[in-house]
Amino acid sequence: DELASVMHHISRLEDVLAFCSSVARLNGLRARLPRWVFAHGELNTVGCNALVLALQRPLPVRVVELGQLAGEVEDTCSENLWKEIGASRTLDALTVRFNAFGCAGALTIAQMVASNQALRSLTLEMCDIGPQGARALAHAMCESSSLNTFGLPYNKLGPDGARAIADGMGSSSSLTSLDLRANRMGHSGAEAIANGLARCHSLQMLNMSTNDLGGRGAVALAAGLRRRHRLTAVDFGFSGLDETGTLTLLAVLRGGTIVSIGLGHCGLRSVEGATAVSECITTSHRLSKLNLRDNSFGRDAAMALIDAGAFRGALRWLQLKFNQFDGPTKAMLHLA
């Protein structure tokens, strides 16, 4: 019972082998181990093959998380792994991290996505996908009728990769969550995603943080949101936004369906900026989470937040760390 209730963090080879063989033997445990996590350490050839054998058995696994495959793992072994994952009729979430399989690996996984119509969530983090790999995965995203959560954080997609993803967004009828953190997209990539936003009717969550979007990218994204905005959660933090661009985004985001906004390190510094934030909070009746860390708000901005009623809305979580507040101002904000 205790084993069935916890998430398995397994890294050592002998643990992988023991886990796979025990799951194969214990029939009563099968229905109660839906989540397999091999996220820590390296999985070598023997461990990879053991996992393939376990996946070939009729186990109702729903979530698989994989960390780095060791350099010794042969291509045929990893291809067999993706093949078995793709053949699973119960798997609905796959996360792979820290595997630099590049475009070739992306093509293999894209084929796996196309063959698994049960898969609802796919995240490939720090896998060196690149623009061409993004194009293949975006095509698979379009072809899938089940995939609703898609993440490619830290993959060096660049503007070309952003354009490929944007094309896929316009053709997907099921996509609800898109994570594109840290992909060096720049303002031209932001413009592409903005065009995708205008055509993607189903999207609810978008993470574009750490992408060097700049003020021009913020304005482009605001234009895309203005044309089609049903988002509940967004994050544009640490993307080189200036205050003007951030205010443009706030004007579009306020009200409606928005629940969570991330604007860390977005150039907010003035009383005007604090007033705009307050207006967003007070007019967005569902907004419960707002991240404003690492901006440059000072005492006057803090007073503006308080006077404008920023703390009287539905907000339940507000991050203001690493702004320019002195001790008395922090105490005042705490009381508010």
Side-chain angles (χ1 to χ4, degrees):
D1 289 343
E2 183 178 353
L3 180 64
S5 68
V6 300
M7 183 170 67
H8 294 267
H9 293 272
I10 304 176
S11 59
R12 294 185 305 166
L13 171 61
E14 55 267 32
D15 291 338
V16 174
L17 293 170
F19 172 77
C20 293
S21 61
S22 65
V23 168
R25 290 196 309 270
L26 299 175
N27 293 335
L29 198 60
R30 289 182 181 181
R32 295 150 60 195
L33 280 175
R35 186 180 182 94
W36 293 9
V37 179
F38 300 90
H40 303 278
E42 291 188 343
L43 197 64
N44 66 10
T45 299
V46 178
C48 187
N49 283 327
L51 185 54
V52 169
L53 290 174
L55 286 167
Q56 289 173 346
R57 297 180 180 274
L59 305 175
V61 58
R62 294 185 56 206
V63 179
V64 171
E65 295 187 26
L66 294 175
Q68 187 172 3
L69 300 183
E72 69 179 56
V73 175
E74 298 177 356
D75 291 343
T76 53
C77 179
S78 60
E79 287 174 4
N80 287 337
L81 179 59
W82 307 133
K83 180 181 177 181
E84 291 304 326
I85 289 174
S88 171
R89 295 183 179 181
T90 59
L91 183 69
D92 63 15
L94 173 64
T95 298
V96 183
R97 295 186 174 95
F98 316 125
N99 282 280
F101 45 58
C103 180
L107 290 171
T108 301
I109 292 180
Q111 293 171 357
M112 180 273 294
V113 172
S115 65
N116 188 329
Q117 290 301 312
L119 193 68
R120 298 173 57 192
S121 174
L122 174 66
T123 298
L124 306 176
E125 181 175 348
M126 207 174 288
C127 291
D128 200 23
I129 299 296
Q132 293 183 347
R135 190 170 294 108
L137 288 163
H139 180 72
M141 177 181 70
C142 298
E143 295 295 316
S144 173
S145 60
S146 60
L147 194 67
N148 54 41
T149 299
F150 186 44
L152 293 177
Y154 298 91
N155 272 299
K156 306 176 186 176
L157 301 186
D160 290 340
R163 282 186 277 272
I165 297 298
D167 291 341
M169 291 169 64
S171 303
S172 173
S173 59
S174 60
L175 185 66
T176 60
S177 177
L178 183 60
D179 183 358
L180 298 174
R181 286 172 290 152
N183 273 300
R184 306 178 184 176
M185 291 185 176
H187 64 82
S188 58
E191 291 166 359
I193 297 299
N195 290 329
L197 279 172
R199 294 179 287 118
C200 189
H201 297 200
S202 57
L203 194 68
Q204 298 176 18
M205 292 175 281
L206 174 65
N207 193 334
M208 290 281 289
S209 61
T210 323
N211 263 303
D212 194 24
L213 308 175
R216 183 173 166 182
V219 172
L221 286 165
L225 289 169
R226 192 174 289 112
R227 291 159 63 190
R228 178 68 63 182
H229 169 31
R230 296 179 180 175
L231 297 178
T232 59
V234 294
D235 195 337
F236 302 114
F238 297 88
S239 287
L241 274 62
D242 57 17
E243 188 169 52
T244 301
T246 303
L247 295 183
T248 305
L249 281 169
L250 278 170
V252 177
L253 291 171
R254 68 186 183 191
T257 58
I258 199 70
V259 174
S260 174
I261 301 175
L263 293 173
H265 196 65
C266 282
L268 292 169
R269 63 180 65 246
S270 67
V271 171
E272 178 188 1
T275 303
V277 168
S278 298
E279 290 175 356
C280 183
I281 294 172
T282 55
T283 58
S284 303
H285 302 299
R286 297 180 60 189
L287 181 63
S288 61
K289 183 176 181 179
L290 179 60
N291 189 350
L292 297 173
R293 62 169 294 164
D294 288 275
N295 281 287
S296 300
F297 282 145
R299 180 180 176 82
D300 291 343
M303 289 297 299
L305 285 171
I306 295 171
D307 293 343
F311 306 105
R312 294 198 295 269
L315 204 62
R316 293 293 176 269
W317 188 92
L318 175 63
Q319 178 62 271
L320 288 168
K321 283 184 177 180
F322 308 116
N323 278 268
Q324 297 180 0
F325 302 135
D326 57 19
T329 303
K330 290 179 181 179
M332 181 174 59
L333 284 166
H334 181 72
L335 289 173

